[in-house]
Amino acid sequence: MQDLALARFTVDRAVAVRSNPDWLTDAWQSSQTRVLIVRDGKIPVTDELSIIWVKPESLSYNVVDFPESVMLLGIDDDHTYVALLGSSEDLEATAWVSVRDAGAQMTTRDVGLAVTATALEAWHLSHIYCHKCAAPTKVQNAGWSRTCPNDYSTHFPRTEPAMIVAIEDAAGRILLGRRVGWEQSWYSTLAGFIEAGESCEAAVVREVFEESGVVVERESLRYLGSQPWPFPASLMMGYRGLALTEQITADQDEMSDVRWFTREEFVAGCTNKTLQLPNPASIAWRLIENWFGETLPRNWSRA
Ligand SMILES: [Zn+2]
């Protein structure tokens, strides 16, 4: 699965440009620069879900005195793309959306830049202070690191790996669960964070057993692909695998229900809305589609 909705990225990330101290001055003076404002995890879009890009000259933002909120996203033949974090700039946007909701319908160029901007905003908001000495850190490298002026440590935006898996049994049924707090009809593939010192595959086996009581055949696991899920900092790594056991004992703390669905039960549930699938931008949607073997109708999603 190389074409996952939020994994799409076509613009050069221009890593070499980040360390150029003049990059921002140059970019801000160029008529080719396009600015994406990110605010609380949301971006401004048109009715057709195209990003509303702004030219630097039309912004009142004081980039000379406050350069720390501008991040370099990438450069292509047409433009230099930058993100401006948290600005209260008034835009004539028709809507502010999260890539979580709109990502599957955005163009490849737009979604890649919007996902990166979303991830950077989430990281900067939660890493204002040094985790070694608690001093306020300074943004460096065009938004791609922060340095502590006190102990000179450097901090980089990190992603937290998580696994997600479509498990099926010998009869071809798929294992789906409803997390605590979800609506009655919401079901998805099982997922969880990878613990310190743990491999992805071990996490799949452990999490499925913890959440459902089902034992997974580790040798059956097939890795299908990954996508960033910057809400706030995950990287979802998708698998398919086979169950060695069928008995379900749902983890009462995490899951309201876990059950097996035959193809017939799955189609019937989705059709009468007693079963609603995750957002089409999610890797869960694609894993379920991979099991189903054909394109899922969009209205089977809860989104
Ligand atoms: Zn420090």
Side-chain angles (χ1 to χ4, degrees):
M1 302 196 307
Q2 297 298 315
D3 58 343
L4 291 162
L6 303 193
R8 295 175 291 152
F9 199 98
T10 51
V11 174
D12 183 348
R13 286 174 177 268
V15 175
V17 178
R18 294 176 192 167
S19 55
N20 175 354
D22 298 325
W23 84 270
L24 181 53
T25 318
D26 294 348
W28 216 254
Q29 287 167 356
S30 165
S31 62
Q32 301 307 306
T33 296
R34 296 293 180 272
V35 182
L36 169 58
I37 296 181
V38 194
R39 199 146 75 202
D40 301 328
K42 296 192 170 164
I43 55 166
V45 292
T46 65
D47 283 339
E48 291 77 39
L49 296 179
S50 297
I51 288 177
I52 297 184
W53 293 99
V54 189
K55 293 184 179 181
E57 70 231 36
S58 62
L59 293 169
S60 55
Y61 185 75
N62 182 348
V63 77
V64 176
D65 292 337
F66 303 100
E68 295 216 333
S69 294
V70 189
M71 325 253 133
L72 179 59
L73 298 175
I75 298 173
D76 67 11
D77 291 341
D78 302 317
H79 302 295
T80 293
Y81 302 96
V82 306
L84 174 58
L85 307 188
S87 158
S88 58
E89 207 87 39
D90 210 13
L91 288 188
E92 288 178 34
T94 52
W96 289 78
V97 296
S98 160
V99 282
R100 184 179 196 147
D101 300 321
Q105 297 148 74
M106 292 172 70
T107 65
T108 295
R109 184 200 68 173
D110 277 8
V111 77
L113 295 164
V115 165
T116 301
T118 302
L120 281 175
E121 190 206 24
W123 183 73
H124 282 286
L125 284 178
S126 57
H127 289 77
I128 295 165
Y129 301 101
C130 176
H131 63 235
K132 294 184 167 178
C133 74
T137 51
K138 277 186 71 74
V139 177
Q140 302 284 333
N141 263 324
W144 288 88
S145 66
R146 302 184 72 104
T147 306
C148 175
N150 187 39
D151 60 23
Y152 307 105
S153 58
T154 302
H155 311 272
F156 296 97
R158 298 294 182 200
T159 48
E160 296 160 4
M163 70 78 208
I164 181 161
V165 63
I167 295 293
E168 64 186 299
D169 70 2
R173 296 182 298 174
I174 189 169
L175 185 67
L176 299 178
R178 185 174 81 232
R179 301 198 85 85
V180 169
W182 282 9
E183 287 181 27
Q184 196 77 14
S185 57
W186 292 8
Y187 281 84
S188 185
T189 48
L190 303 186
F193 285 108
I194 292 153
E195 294 196 334
E198 186 176 42
S199 75
C200 231
E201 292 73 22
V204 172
V205 174
R206 177 183 55 76
E207 283 279 358
V208 171
F209 184 73
E210 283 175 10
E211 291 182 358
S212 70
V214 170
V215 177
V216 172
E217 182 184 4
R218 184 163 170 164
E219 294 71 30
S220 74
L221 293 178
R222 274 193 300 141
Y223 173 67
L224 296 188
S226 68
Q227 77 168 352
W229 194 248
F231 319 106
S234 297
L235 174 68
M236 305 302 300
M237 314 185 49
Y239 287 82
R240 286 189 63 178
L242 296 172
L244 289 170
T245 62
E246 292 178 13
Q247 178 69 38
I248 289 173
T249 316
D251 172 356
Q252 302 293 320
D253 293 336
E254 273 191 82
M255 311 300 294
S256 298
D257 186 33
V258 181
R259 65 168 81 163
W260 294 103
F261 288 85
T262 65
R263 195 179 169 87
E264 291 70 31
E265 288 164 346
F266 176 82
V267 171
C270 289
T271 306
N272 68 25
K273 303 285 180 203
T274 55
L275 171 57
Q276 292 189 289
L277 304 179
N279 190 307
S282 68
I283 191 168
W285 171 268
R286 293 292 302 277
L287 288 173
I288 295 168
E289 194 169 69
N290 192 278
W291 165 79
F292 191 60
E294 49 190 288
T295 305
L296 297 171
R298 278 198 89 86
N299 64 6
W300 286 8
S301 157
R302 67 202 187 199

